Every structure is written in C-alpha cells, then in structure tokens.
C-alpha cells in the first residue's frame, strides 16, 4: 500500500490523469444502470446491474471510436456490434470489480489532489492558466456535473494505481529467462521438401466456376452503402450562442423532428448525400468531396443504425449532425462481375489440392523409410521462409515428420535436430528478454487477481439474453 501511495506523487501519475481526459472526451462518462427490470439486465457485477440498453450504448460509442481512429481502413464487418460486446463486457466487469476493490482497500484520491490535477490539464488552459469557462463548457457539452467529473477522474486514478501495483514484478528466476531466451535463439535442422506444381490437371467448366463462387462468396463482398442526411450548424460569431443553437437543434432531432423541418426552423443548412460507402465513394467509383464533411466525419454515420443520428460532431466553426436515411447492406458481388477472380481462385484451389496430395504421398513413403528426400536447412526464428513452416517447426519434437500447407504450396518437413545455445546472463539480450518475461508474468498476476475478485464479489452474465438482443435484425 505504501508503494502505491508513493507512486501517486510521481510525474507519471500526474501525466496519467491527462490521458484519462482524452478517454473522457472520446466516450463521455456514463454511469451504471441500477434497478433495471430483470428481463433487461445483461450483466450483474458485485450487485451492480448493467442493462441491455446501457450495454448497447457502450457498443455504439465504441463503434464510433473505431471509425474515428481507423477511418476508411476499418472494414465494415469489423464494426459488427456482436464483435464488440464481449470486449465491452470484460472492460465493464474489470472496472466495477476494481472500483469495489479500491474502496475496500481505502485507496482513495482526495478532492484537493484531483482538483489540482484537473487544473493542470492542458485541455482546460487558456493563456497559460486554468479556464473555468472552458471547464464548464466541456462538462455542459457532455451533460456532467463537476462532482460527477471529479468522481470519474478519481475512480480511474485509483483503478490505475491498483493495476500498476499488480503489474510491477521486481525479479524473476534466472532459469525462466534463460529458458525463454534459449527457445528464441534455438536453431532447428530440417529436411525440407517443397511441392509447388505449376499445372492444373482438371479441365475447368462453368459449373466449377459457379460452385467455387457459391462456396467463396465471402471473398467477393461489395461494401455497405448509405444515403446520409446532414445538418450543418456554423457561421455564428458568438461561440456560446453557436453551442446553444447546436444543442437546441440536437434536442429537436432527438425528439423526432425531421432534418428538413429543423433546417427551416433554425435557418441552417441541410444536405442529403447520394448513396455512398464509408469512404464517401459512389457505386460507380467516383469519390464525393464536400467542403465541410470529411471522410472521418462521414464514418460516424456508418456506426449507427438507420434512422438514428450521431451526437453533435465538431467541425471548423461549428457542428454537424448526421443521420443514415437509407442502408444497402454489404453483399456478394454478382457472379458475372467477379468471374475472372473466381477463375483464378479455382486454379489456386486445384494447385493447393494437387500439392497436398503429392506431399501426403511423399510423407507415407518417408515414414516407411525414416527420411525425407529434401533440402537440409538450419532454421531460426528469423529465417526467410513461410511463417507457417516456422511456427510448426518450432513446436515440433525432434524426429517429427509433418506437412505444412502454405497457400497453394505444401511442404514436407522432417525435424532432424535441435541446437540450443549457451546463454550468458550478463548480455544485453538477456536483459531485454527479462523485461519481456516480466511483462508476461505481470499479465498472469493481473488475470489471476481479476479471477479472484470475480469469485469474491460475483459476476453473472445473461449470455442467452445478450445473444438474442444483439442478433442481426432481419
């Protein structure tokens, strides 16, 4: 406990609070939902109920965050909310358990200390001094009171202190580091035979192409397209008036008003875009450019359901609201459009099958004779050879014979010998490996502690209910 309290006074601890603020700005601060009806509860952690609605809101925010970070490089299927649910449940569970644990330990951040850190956050500085006006605007924008914001910062601070103490490993047995480094520097002698035929025996028919297309439709997906409407709120000289106007418009939209109706009522610009994918590209391939709405902003309209609207999004000199009005789901491209790609795929699959059969025939003969008629090579972890061959070779036992499929190729491998070097404990490599192993150990300690807290305070997931709630809507 003394170690934790000393850490709280360091520059690292103070810097950490600045990082917390960025998370706050990205996601907003949302409390836990208490007293939800039993049928709406998704998760119960230490007697705290998380509703399905609260979980869905966290998923929506995470999707928007991913779009902001990765932009056009984020494939739409990766934003499937079902892929995010487990991650968010894990994060929420850890947060609640650590909150309970830190309170029981008496690990608290005092109000004067938290106030001091908030006053030093660069986000609240104006002309080198803390600006109450900036601070209050941020809280107002996120719908938070000063008390709630301080409680959130204090909670994140104490959770981080506890976690950092769990992850600090002072020393490790030398034998563990030696063993890890020895594996990293091992050399493995193999007899390697490669099968990579250039010809295909079977004649291709139209039926073969159609069957290949049907079996591999997931390879030929055209992106999701959406028709998006936008409300652009800008060109007000007074920033406070502009924020007030934007909030009034947002409230009207949340209340069910249409974008065109709100645009006329408040005299702001309304835009309806044509069908575009997440990178603002039309079906014909032309890229749409807009002077106000960037691709990064447009991504946020792909993180919400049809008919819903984004939160207020900041633009230069104003704000924008986006709402997807029409959605054309991602689907396989028509067979005729991808026929040549299907032909290449069929050829690759034929080569893959032929190479594997030849490798399997050679393996049978090698098992009978006790040797592989291949090229003798000495492999290390950095050898320039297919990674699947390396991975299988470095998990095999001496004397093993096995086949590795690598795209259309196949390899027959015989592990003939394993050479392990002598390890010097004073070398730079040893120190680097020790640091790596320490991080692995600290992760194990943290996972064990979370398992202990889960058993102590109780964690109950309503998996069937969650699965049904987040099932794709037909």
């Amino acid at each position: 406990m003394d170690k934790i309290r000393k850490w709280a006074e360091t520059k690292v601890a103070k810097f950490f609070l600045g990082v917390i603020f960025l998370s706050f700005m990205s996601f907003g601060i949302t409390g836990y939902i208490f007293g939800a009806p039993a049928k709406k509860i998704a998760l119960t952690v230490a007697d705290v109920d998380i509703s399905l609605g609260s979980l869905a809101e966290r998923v929506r925010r995470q999707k928007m965050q991913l779009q902001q970070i990765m932009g056009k490089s984020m494939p739409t299927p990766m934003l499937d909310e079902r892929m995010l649910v487990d991650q968010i449940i894990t994060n929420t569970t850890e947060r609640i358990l650590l909150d309970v644990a830190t309170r029981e330990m008496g690990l608290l951040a005092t109000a004067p200390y938290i106030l001091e850190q908030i006053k030093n956050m660069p986000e609240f500085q104006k002309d080198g001094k803390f600006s109450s006006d900036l601070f209050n605007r941020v809280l107002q924008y996120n719908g938070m009171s000063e008390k709630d914001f301080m409680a959130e910062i204090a909670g994140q601070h104490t959770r981080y202190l506890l976690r950092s103490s769990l992850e600090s490993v002072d020393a490790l047995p030398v034998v563990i580091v030696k063993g890890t480094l020895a594996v990293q520097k091992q050399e493995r002698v193999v007899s390697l035979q490669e099968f990579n035929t250039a010809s295909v025996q079977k004649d291709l028919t139209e039926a073969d192409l159609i069957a290949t297309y049907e079996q591999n439709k997931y390879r030929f997906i055209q992106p999701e397209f959406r028709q998006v409407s936008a409300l652009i709120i800008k060109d007000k000289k007074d920033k406070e008036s502009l924020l007030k106007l934007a909030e009034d418009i947002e409230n009207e939209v949340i209340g069910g008003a249409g974008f065109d109706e709100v645009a006329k009522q408040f005299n702001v610009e309304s835009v309806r875009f044509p069908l575009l994918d997440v990178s603002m590209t039309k079906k014909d391939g032309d890229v749409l450019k807009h002077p106000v709405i960037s691709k990064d902003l447009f991504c946020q309209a792909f993180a919400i359901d049809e008919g819903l609207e984004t939160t207020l999004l900041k633009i230069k000199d104003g704000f924008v609201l986006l709402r997807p009005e029409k959605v054309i789901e991602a689907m396989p491209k028509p067979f005729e459009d991808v026929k040549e790609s299907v032909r290449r795929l069929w050829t690759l699959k034929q080569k893959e099958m032929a190479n594997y059969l030849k490798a399997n025939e050679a393996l049978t003969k090698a098992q009978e004779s006790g040797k592989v008629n291949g090229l003798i090579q000495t492999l290390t972890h950095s050898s320039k050879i297919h990674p699947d061959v390396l991975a299988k070779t470095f998990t095999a036992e001496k004397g093993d014979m096995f086949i590795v499929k690598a795209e259309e190729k196949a390899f027959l491998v015989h592990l003939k010998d394993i050479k392990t070097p002598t390890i010097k404990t004073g070398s730079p490599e040893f120190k680097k490996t020790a640091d790596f192993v320490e991080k692995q150990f600290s992760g194990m300690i943290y996972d064990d502690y979370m398992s202990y807290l889960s058993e102590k305070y109780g964690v109950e997931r309503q998996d069937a209910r969650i699965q049904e709630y987040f099932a794709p809507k037909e």
Side-chain angles (χ1 to χ4, degrees):
M1 188 66 71
D2 289 339
K3 182 177 181 180
I4 296 174
R5 292 196 177 100
K6 288 179 181 178
W7 186 90
E9 302 302 321
T10 65
K11 292 182 179 179
V12 177
K14 295 177 182 179
F15 170 78
F16 169 72
L17 288 174
V19 176
I20 291 173
F21 182 80
L22 299 179
S23 173
F24 164 67
M25 290 296 291
S26 298
F27 287 95
I29 297 176
T30 53
Y32 308 120
I33 306 301
F34 294 86
K39 66 179 180 180
K40 294 184 178 181
I41 293 173
L43 175 71
T44 302
V45 183
D47 294 329
V48 176
D49 292 333
I50 307 298
S51 73
L52 288 166
S54 174
L55 183 58
E57 173 62 16
R58 291 163 192 251
V59 170
R60 186 184 72 83
R61 288 173 177 269
Q62 181 68 57
K63 285 160 65 173
M64 292 180 63
Q65 178 82 346
L66 288 172
Q67 287 281 23
Q68 287 176 331
I69 293 172
M70 300 193 71
K72 64 181 181 181
S73 65
M74 171 63 72
T76 301
M78 288 186 66
L79 294 173
D80 185 340
E81 57 189 20
R82 292 170 299 174
M83 298 177 66
L84 301 174
V85 170
D86 280 342
Q87 173 198 342
I88 292 172
I89 287 177
T90 297
N91 293 342
T92 303
T93 300
E94 290 186 358
R95 171 181 172 139
I96 297 174
L97 290 175
L98 290 177
D99 279 345
V100 174
T102 53
R103 284 198 296 269
E104 280 201 357
M105 298 166 94
L107 185 61
L108 303 173
T110 64
Y113 178 79
I114 293 301
L115 281 173
E116 179 186 349
Q117 307 314 310
I118 293 174
K119 287 181 179 179
N120 289 326
M121 286 181 178
E123 292 78 13
F124 300 139
Q125 301 298 308
K126 184 176 182 180
D127 299 327
K129 296 181 180 179
F130 174 76
S131 169
S132 298
D133 184 47
L134 281 176
F135 178 70
N136 289 327
R137 282 192 205 176
V138 170
L139 295 192
Q140 180 184 6
Y141 182 78
N142 286 274
M144 297 297 300
S145 68
E146 181 177 324
K147 180 180 178 182
D148 290 337
F149 182 60
M150 287 184 61
E152 176 65 17
I153 297 298
Q156 292 206 37
H157 181 66
T158 53
R159 289 194 299 272
Y160 187 81
L161 290 180
L162 177 55
R163 179 160 190 162
S164 65
S165 69
L166 292 169
E167 293 179 345
S168 61
V169 180
D170 294 330
L172 285 170
V174 171
V175 66
I176 295 177
V177 182
K178 274 189 173 183
T180 302
L181 186 55
V183 171
Q184 291 176 0
K185 295 180 69 65
Q186 261 183 9
E187 295 179 344
R188 300 207 163 196
V189 182
V190 298
S191 178
L192 190 69
Q193 190 173 358
E194 180 179 331
F195 299 87
N196 185 21
T197 183
S199 61
V200 175
Q201 302 299 319
K202 187 178 184 297
D203 292 332
L204 175 61
T205 65
E206 187 77 3
D208 290 327
L209 282 177
I210 294 173
T212 302
Y213 170 75
E214 291 295 333
Q215 293 165 7
N216 296 275
K217 279 185 176 180
Y218 67 92
R219 295 174 180 261
F220 309 110
I221 300 296
Q222 64 183 11
E224 176 182 301
F225 285 86
R226 294 189 173 204
Q227 185 175 53
V228 176
S229 293
L231 285 173
I232 301 171
I233 311 154
K234 57 181 303 188
D235 297 330
K236 297 289 182 181
K237 294 182 180 180
D238 184 345
K239 291 184 178 180
E240 289 188 6
S241 298
L242 178 62
L243 178 60
K244 177 67 167 55
L245 174 63
E247 290 173 340
D248 289 344
I249 290 175
E250 183 180 33
N251 288 333
E252 288 291 323
V253 170
I254 292 173
F259 272 28
D260 291 339
E261 174 190 345
V262 172
K264 291 179 182 178
Q265 179 183 348
F266 290 92
N267 192 28
V268 295
E269 183 181 0
S270 176
V271 179
R272 178 166 292 164
F273 294 100
L275 282 168
L276 301 168
D277 69 12
V278 72
S279 62
M280 294 186 76
T281 303
K282 302 178 185 178
K283 282 192 171 185
D284 59 12
D286 290 343
V287 176
L288 180 73
K289 295 183 179 179
H290 192 274
V292 173
I293 298 175
S294 66
K295 291 180 182 179
D296 289 341
L297 280 177
F298 199 75
C299 284
Q300 305 214 28
F302 277 73
I304 57 177
D305 293 333
E306 180 178 350
L308 299 180
E309 59 281 332
T310 64
T311 56
L312 284 172
L313 305 175
K314 190 74 177 71
I315 59 173
K316 185 179 180 181
D317 301 326
F319 299 89
V320 67
L321 277 172
L322 300 175
R323 173 189 281 170
E325 306 284 0
K326 179 180 179 181
V327 176
I328 298 179
E329 300 287 349
M331 64 183 67
K333 297 178 182 178
F335 171 68
E336 292 298 330
D337 291 354
V338 295
K339 195 169 183 177
E340 287 308 310
S341 297
V342 175
R343 188 186 306 276
R344 289 192 292 271
L345 178 60
W346 178 88
T347 302
L348 185 147
K349 293 287 186 183
Q350 290 297 311
K351 290 181 179 180
E352 179 183 314
M353 182 184 302
N355 289 326
Y356 179 75
L357 291 175
K358 289 180 180 179
N360 198 53
E361 182 181 346
L363 175 60
T364 301
K365 293 179 180 178
Q367 289 171 336
E368 292 173 354
S369 64
K371 63 178 182 179
V372 170
N373 295 321
L375 180 65
I376 303 297
Q377 295 189 46
T378 299
L379 302 181
T380 67
H381 283 282
S382 59
S383 292
K384 293 183 178 180
I385 195 170
H386 196 282
D388 289 350
V389 175
L390 276 183
K392 187 67 180 291
T393 299
F394 276 88
T395 56
E397 300 290 339
K398 183 177 177 179
D400 285 354
M401 294 181 184
F402 50 88
I403 296 172
V404 179
K405 291 173 62 177
E407 287 81 43
E408 76 273 18
K409 298 180 183 179
F411 295 87
L412 176 57
V413 184
H414 179 201
L415 180 53
K416 299 174 68 68
D417 194 16
I418 298 175
K419 297 180 179 180
T420 302
T422 302
I423 304 301
K424 296 180 180 179
T425 57
S427 67
E429 271 187 319
F430 185 87
K431 185 180 183 305
K432 183 178 179 180
T433 304
D435 292 340
F436 170 76
V437 176
E438 283 177 9
K439 289 179 181 178
Q440 286 188 316
F441 263 65
S442 64
M444 291 170 58
I445 293 170
Y446 179 78
D447 290 343
D448 288 343
Y449 183 68
M450 293 310 302
S451 295
Y452 161 74
L453 292 181
S454 296
E455 292 180 8
K456 180 177 180 180
Y457 299 116
V459 175
E460 184 177 354
R461 286 177 49 154
Q462 304 296 332
D463 287 318
R465 190 177 296 160
I466 293 169
Q467 184 176 358
E468 179 182 1
Y469 187 86
F470 288 97
K473 306 296 188 294
E474 297 183 357

